[in-house]
Amino acid sequence: MFLVCTLGFLLGMSVPFCEAYSPRIVTRINQAALDYVAQMGRTTFQTALQVQLPDLFNPEEGYFQRTPVFMLDNDISLFDLKFTPNNGIRLSAAGHANITFFIKKNLQKLRVGFNTIADIIITQSTTGSPFVDLSFCKSEIKETTLTYREDGLKELYSPANAYVRIVIPDKLCSKLFSMMEALNIYLGTMIGTHPLGPESQISYSLAQLPTITEEYMSLAINSTFYLLGKPVILPPEASSFSLPQRVGSRNAMLNFVFTNEIFDAIYFLMQKSGSINLDITGQLNSKSNQLTTSVLGNLIPEVHHQFPKSMPITLKARINTSPAPVIHSNKTSLMLRYFVEALAISSNSAFKSLFSLDMIVELKLNITMSGEKLRANVSFLKDIELEVTSSNVGTFDLLKVKPLIISAVKKPVDDHLNALFGLGAALPTIIKVSYVNPEIFMYEDSVVISCGLHIQN
């Protein structure tokens, strides 16, 4: 089961294709990942070979006697996985199988050495999920040693040796075929969506066959975004992205490459869902939030004229253009353009618009990874910019009003965005697999996360 789960992770996610434009995450799986899988998978393969074999037919007094045979306490000394360019993964295994059976109630033990070579090919199913199979498997018997014999029958060795050379190679390869079948069943259970934010989700699918070199396997993984359960049609890709030959850490097991288009899509979805929008309401007799008509009336006389009684003011901040993330080698930034409307409750309990503003917020994005999610926290790169777009309270001096607006807006915006971006976007993964020791690398137009693997037994 360990090898099944692990190879399932290595081959990406499987969900139906979406015909619309889908931004991609590129995942490079290095040899270090295969070494880890091989180290952990050796025990699994060894356990899988603890089985009952077909009965041994032994001539006895003129008729054939059925003798149950068991393969137990096996020793797998080699379990190795290597990339084979443009093909898949080469599996090499070697070790000894210990065969136990009884003749005339006498215990017999054989130690059988073997070598196994198999080629794992990676293709794509009609539903868009990865599909694995063995294109080649060959097992050879190195030697057969009778390690224990109670009855001293010399004629035992010949039929037992012939039995082993017929049965064991077939059993070894059939076990590998069974593991591939179990893997494909397991891959079929990975179809699903992951929460991305309020009322929005993300899912992944293998975009094409993997690119395989001697050093790594590269997976192009489509990202499909959903809002209220329906696929979101994204703006077309503005420009192509060329993946550098060397990215991230060469010593890492995995390198996730997130292009600028992924961040564009995430923030576009947030804009469509309205999750970046926020309402900020003043509180009467509050020192921390003085958004009231009485305080604003000291700066804009017409507000005091229209609202002689102090009333709370609500700032409705709405994103009016798609957020624009910019990724450089030394920093990642995000520009948000809000349309802000200042509203107050009039005498008939209806909201009345006082004025509206264009507000530009420039943020520094600190990309992190935790809990199998890509997350971010933000801080302000520069002062918030404001510009009056309309006014129902006459002409006023924005320089006088600006400190009040910014003092009321800055902390709520900071708290709201950090809480929202802190929810994170789930990375392509499967159950029982977690990412450890992440490192973040910034390139022009891409973010690379290098990490290791931890697989639960």
Side-chain angles (χ1 to χ4, degrees):
M1 178 55 69
F2 168 83
L3 183 60
V4 169
C5 292
T6 303
L7 285 178
F9 161 77
L10 292 177
L11 298 177
M13 305 301 294
S14 58
V15 296
F17 284 113
C18 179
E19 293 296 329
Y21 160 67
S22 297
R24 294 178 179 177
I25 297 173
V26 178
T27 304
R28 280 189 175 173
I29 302 165
N30 296 329
Q31 181 60 45
L34 290 190
D35 293 341
Y36 176 65
V37 172
Q39 176 187 354
M40 302 291 290
R42 180 170 57 181
T43 301
T44 302
F45 185 62
Q46 186 170 280
T47 302
L49 295 178
Q50 295 178 359
V51 294
Q52 181 174 353
L53 299 174
D55 292 346
L56 170 65
F57 289 89
N58 182 47
E60 182 72 17
E61 298 180 0
Y63 64 92
F64 285 93
Q65 176 183 346
R66 297 171 63 91
T67 302
V69 183
F70 300 90
M71 186 162 59
L72 303 171
D73 302 323
N74 306 299
D75 176 24
I76 306 299
S77 58
L78 172 68
F79 192 87
D80 186 62
L81 297 170
K82 297 292 184 184
F83 293 118
T84 54
N86 304 316
N87 184 45
I89 298 172
R90 168 63 62 91
L91 186 154
S92 302
H96 291 84
N98 296 312
I99 310 301
T100 299
F101 57 95
F102 290 85
I103 292 183
K104 294 183 179 180
K105 298 183 179 181
N106 293 316
L107 177 64
Q108 315 296 329
K109 290 185 178 181
L110 294 176
R111 182 171 172 83
V112 181
F114 65 86
N115 285 322
T116 299
I117 295 177
D119 286 333
I120 303 172
I121 59 171
I122 305 163
T123 58
Q124 206 168 0
S125 73
T126 55
T127 61
S129 65
F131 186 87
V132 295
D133 199 3
L134 293 185
S135 62
F136 170 80
C137 184
K138 182 179 181 181
S139 292
E140 295 181 337
I141 302 301
K142 294 191 299 182
E143 78 281 340
T144 303
T145 305
L146 189 61
T147 60
Y148 185 81
R149 183 175 62 202
E150 287 186 341
D151 61 2
L153 294 176
K154 294 181 180 181
E155 60 272 19
L156 170 69
Y157 181 77
S158 180
N161 186 54
Y163 168 89
V164 162
R165 294 184 179 277
I166 294 173
V167 172
I168 298 300
D170 179 71
K171 180 58 64 174
L172 293 169
C173 285
S174 67
K175 276 295 176 184
L176 290 177
F177 274 106
S178 296
M179 294 177 74
M180 295 301 105
E181 292 175 356
L183 171 57
N184 286 317
I185 294 173
Y186 188 75
L187 287 173
T189 68
M190 293 191 294
I191 296 175
T193 59
H194 307 277
L196 184 59
E199 302 176 337
S200 58
Q201 300 83 32
I202 185 172
S203 67
Y204 299 106
S205 63
L206 196 61
Q208 59 195 34
L209 295 180
T211 300
I212 304 174
T213 71
E214 291 184 354
E215 297 180 346
Y216 60 80
M217 176 166 62
S218 182
L219 302 177
I221 301 175
N222 276 342
S223 304
T224 303
F225 297 87
Y226 298 86
L227 182 59
L228 296 174
K230 296 181 179 181
V232 174
I233 305 301
L234 299 172
E237 183 180 359
S239 60
S240 60
F241 171 77
S242 179
L243 185 66
Q245 184 66 22
R246 299 292 182 189
V247 294
S249 171
R250 296 187 62 183
N251 297 323
M253 296 183 187
L254 300 175
N255 286 312
F256 285 103
V257 183
F258 298 88
T259 60
N260 199 86
E261 64 188 32
I262 283 289
F263 295 97
D264 286 339
I266 290 174
Y267 298 128
F268 176 81
L269 180 63
M270 288 182 174
Q271 178 200 359
K272 288 296 183 182
S273 68
S275 59
I276 305 182
N277 300 334
L278 74 160
D279 294 345
I280 304 166
T281 301
Q283 300 173 2
L284 298 177
N285 303 318
S286 171
K287 293 183 178 180
S288 60
N289 187 342
Q290 300 184 39
L291 273 178
T292 63
T293 55
S294 60
V295 175
L296 187 61
N298 294 329
L299 305 173
I300 307 175
E302 181 61 26
V303 173
H304 182 72
H305 176 73
Q306 295 184 20
F307 297 88
K309 182 181 177 181
S310 184
M311 302 292 289
I313 294 174
T314 296
L315 298 179
K316 297 181 71 69
R318 301 292 180 264
I319 291 289
N320 57 10
T321 60
S322 183
V326 178
I327 303 174
H328 292 300
S329 58
N330 59 345
K331 70 175 182 179
T332 301
S333 62
L334 179 66
M335 178 180 290
L336 301 178
R337 296 180 180 270
Y338 283 99
F339 175 78
V340 181
E341 189 173 15
L343 303 166
I345 299 178
S346 61
S347 57
N348 61 0
S349 298
F351 279 103
K352 182 178 180 180
S353 176
L354 304 179
F355 55 83
S356 60
L357 306 166
D358 279 338
M359 181 172 72
I360 298 177
V361 179
E362 289 193 52
L363 302 165
K364 177 183 178 182
L365 277 176
N366 179 31
I367 306 295
T368 61
M369 174 181 161
S370 64
E372 288 65 67
K373 285 189 174 184
L374 187 69
R375 306 176 191 269
N377 56 66
V378 300
S379 57
F380 289 91
L381 270 177
K382 57 195 301 187
D383 289 340
I384 295 175
E385 298 180 25
L386 298 174
E387 182 178 345
V388 178
T389 57
S390 67
S391 173
N392 294 317
V393 291
T395 303
F396 59 89
D397 188 350
L398 181 59
L399 291 178
K400 294 181 179 180
V401 177
K402 184 176 180 180
L404 173 64
I405 301 297
I406 290 180
S407 66
V409 164
K410 194 167 186 178
K411 187 177 188 307
V413 167
D414 183 77
D415 292 345
H416 178 71
L417 294 179
N418 275 306
L420 180 63
F421 296 164
L423 294 176
L427 302 178
T429 188
I430 63 172
I431 59 172
K432 296 188 177 181
V433 176
S434 56
Y435 306 122
V436 296
N437 303 322
E439 294 181 85
I440 311 295
F441 297 89
M442 311 297 294
Y443 299 90
E444 290 296 319
D445 298 324
S446 66
V447 175
V448 176
I449 297 182
S450 300
C451 60
L453 289 175
H454 174 73
I455 303 172
Q456 301 177 23
N457 290 328

